[in-house]
Amino acid sequence: MRCRPLLHALPLLLAACAQSPQLVRWEAEFYATEHLYLDGGQTEAAARYAELRHTATDPRDADDAALMACETPSRHGQFLQAAVCYDALAIDAETRATRARALLHAAELRLDELGRTPDAVRMLETLVTRAPEEAASARAVDVLVRYARRGPVQRDEMIQRFRELEVAAPDSDLADNLLLRAAELMAETDRPRARESALALLQRLQDRHGQDPTAMDALMLQARLQRALARPRNETRTLEQVVATWETSLVFGTYTTTAHLDATRRLVELYRYELKDLERAERHMRELPKMMMHATELPALLVTLAEIQEERGHLGDALSTYREVLSVVEARRREEVANDRRICSEEPDPTARDRCFADIATLTPIEPRETAVARQAIARLQHSEAPR
């Protein structure tokens, strides 16, 4: 059993691990050392972490202590000492995951603190190539992107390297990530030719890695590039692919991402204004409230839906939707009042409780802007010809 509680839970550790006195002592020493480290005793903490590494009975515990032994001088500003420590740990750590983490940290120190950029880039590329399945390698790609954004020379360098690394290992765990990040860097140049090249990379990603975790981000980037190139129909097709993943997910249980929301909002704009397809605009607009996590946005969504219904000539539907705006606002107000009264009722002091109830009784509800819009629209539609 590996116990790793917080300091304040140390008594629980002694009970839970009573069957292993040696482990109990090791854990107690580890957390005492952590306390020393947090209090500023970095030099002594580093030595104690190094000793803990050698006395650990579990390889993972040994690696945890070794990582902290390297991290301690880094936090104290001793970056070269920390880098040398990580270099050694990248070779002789017990687990592959820790060796990858150590190599990542050693490279980051060289890049950010020691001014040894070529060495850092080489080490990060080595990590991506040799251990693509490790979480540290995905972080290494992020660090390389950060380096690429230092300037156009670095950006072009890393675009080329990402493409080469993907071609060299197209079945790597990071192949899709490399293509996506290369396309992102291309898109940042704002050159039409670069945007076209980015779209080609994204198509390769979709063809080869369409089910990988980066697929959604790739589709959204593709849509942004198509928008920048003024290709609304291509952008629409791409965004429909994004929204389709939300619709399919309903079979298993609804989940909504920012991409689903952004894609649906943009599809409403495209169909409403550029493509002049109000039927599709309304269909997507009806989906948005189902995706929303916050009810505060619902009145604004309903007003937009009602406006589209008016534009389609469906005045009866629009009138019903405007009335729904008022119902939603009123329901939310009742919930707020009930919540305020509940809070007041929990006040133990009778005088304070009465004052609380008196205060909320004088509050004037703040109505959202959509309330006035809905009331005006209802009055206008009621005086128009009979809704169809």
Side-chain angles (χ1 to χ4, degrees):
M1 175 179 181
R2 299 180 76 248
C3 301
R4 188 56 56 80
L6 299 173
L7 281 172
H8 62 73
L10 195 54
L12 297 178
L13 166 70
L14 298 176
C17 298
Q19 75 278 14
S20 177
Q22 182 180 3
L23 179 58
V24 170
R25 287 193 298 272
W26 191 94
E27 293 280 359
E29 178 64 20
F30 185 94
Y31 284 103
T33 304
E34 182 180 38
H35 187 75
L36 178 66
Y37 163 71
L38 294 174
D39 283 347
Q42 282 86 2
T43 301
E44 184 180 352
R48 290 171 67 170
Y49 277 128
E51 179 62 26
L52 283 166
R53 180 187 182 188
H54 295 298
T55 58
T57 58
D58 189 307
R60 294 169 296 176
D61 285 336
D63 281 353
D64 285 348
L67 285 167
M68 289 303 300
C70 296
E71 173 67 13
T72 301
S74 175
R75 289 292 181 93
H76 199 52
Q78 298 171 339
F79 302 121
L80 181 57
Q81 179 182 339
V84 171
C85 180
Y86 282 126
D87 288 344
L89 189 58
I91 296 172
D92 61 13
E94 297 287 344
T95 65
R96 180 176 173 84
T98 302
R99 293 194 293 273
R101 287 180 62 186
L103 183 57
L104 169 65
H105 295 322
E108 286 186 292
L109 285 170
R110 285 170 169 81
L111 183 68
D112 298 329
E113 307 295 348
L114 299 174
R116 299 181 181 178
T117 301
D119 290 343
V121 172
R122 174 183 54 79
M123 294 167 72
L124 292 167
E125 290 180 358
T126 298
L127 181 55
V128 170
T129 302
R130 296 185 181 177
E133 76 287 354
E134 295 294 341
S137 298
R139 167 65 181 162
V141 175
D142 293 337
V143 177
L144 287 170
V145 170
R146 176 157 54 81
Y147 159 72
R149 287 177 172 144
R150 288 184 174 183
V153 174
Q154 294 89 336
R155 181 182 60 220
D156 291 343
E157 172 193 350
M158 290 319 304
I159 289 173
Q160 181 64 26
R161 286 299 292 134
F162 284 164
R163 297 182 70 174
E164 291 171 353
L165 290 169
E166 189 274 335
V167 169
D171 297 323
S172 161
D173 288 357
L174 289 176
D176 61 320
N177 204 342
L178 293 168
L179 285 173
L180 176 62
R181 305 317 286 271
E184 287 176 346
L185 292 172
M186 287 178 177
E188 292 172 10
T189 65
D190 288 334
R191 297 194 301 264
R193 188 172 180 179
R195 288 170 176 161
E196 295 287 2
S197 298
L199 283 172
L201 282 188
L202 293 171
Q203 187 60 55
R204 175 177 171 83
L205 190 157
Q206 188 172 351
D207 292 342
R208 294 188 58 89
H209 311 285
Q211 302 303 314
D212 286 4
T214 57
M216 187 75 77
D217 290 336
L219 286 171
M220 292 303 291
L221 177 57
Q222 184 176 334
R224 290 195 296 272
L225 289 166
Q226 290 162 338
R227 182 175 185 176
L229 292 167
R231 298 173 183 170
R233 295 194 179 279
N234 289 350
E235 181 188 357
T236 299
R237 284 193 290 271
T238 300
L239 293 173
E240 290 282 12
Q241 289 181 261
V242 174
V243 174
T245 65
W246 182 79
E247 293 173 347
T248 301
S249 74
L250 291 176
V251 175
F252 307 101
T254 302
Y255 70 94
T256 303
T257 67
T258 301
H260 291 127
L261 291 169
D262 291 346
T264 305
R265 290 183 190 276
R266 177 58 182 157
L267 281 170
V268 170
E269 292 178 3
L270 285 166
Y271 284 129
R272 187 178 180 185
Y273 299 114
E274 297 187 53
L275 300 181
K276 307 297 183 184
D277 190 334
L278 292 176
E279 181 180 356
R280 284 193 169 89
E282 180 177 349
R283 176 166 59 85
H284 283 293
M285 197 63 230
R286 286 183 179 277
E287 295 300 302
L288 265 175
K290 303 174 188 177
M291 297 180 178
M292 299 307 300
M293 302 297 181
H294 304 291
T296 54
E297 299 184 58
L298 185 55
L301 298 177
L302 290 172
V303 165
T304 301
L305 174 59
E307 290 172 349
I308 294 172
Q309 290 168 332
E310 274 199 81
E311 292 167 13
R312 294 189 66 191
H314 297 175
L315 303 186
D317 291 341
L319 185 59
S320 297
T321 304
Y322 282 125
R323 285 173 174 156
E324 186 178 354
V325 172
L326 300 183
S327 298
V328 166
V329 171
E330 175 61 23
R332 191 169 71 196
R333 189 191 68 79
R334 287 197 300 268
E335 289 177 2
E336 291 171 351
V337 170
N339 189 55
D340 289 342
R341 292 185 63 82
R342 178 188 60 78
I343 294 173
C344 289
S345 67
E346 293 173 354
E347 172 57 55
D349 180 67
T351 302
R353 185 167 59 248
D354 291 342
R355 186 167 56 248
C356 180
F357 280 121
D359 288 342
I360 64 174
T362 63
L363 291 177
T364 301
I366 300 176
E367 295 184 333
R369 180 188 64 84
E370 291 78 18
T371 302
V373 173
R375 287 197 180 107
Q376 293 171 4
I378 291 169
R380 171 170 45 80
L381 290 172
Q382 285 177 331
H383 287 84
S384 66
E385 62 183 8
R388 291 189 292 272

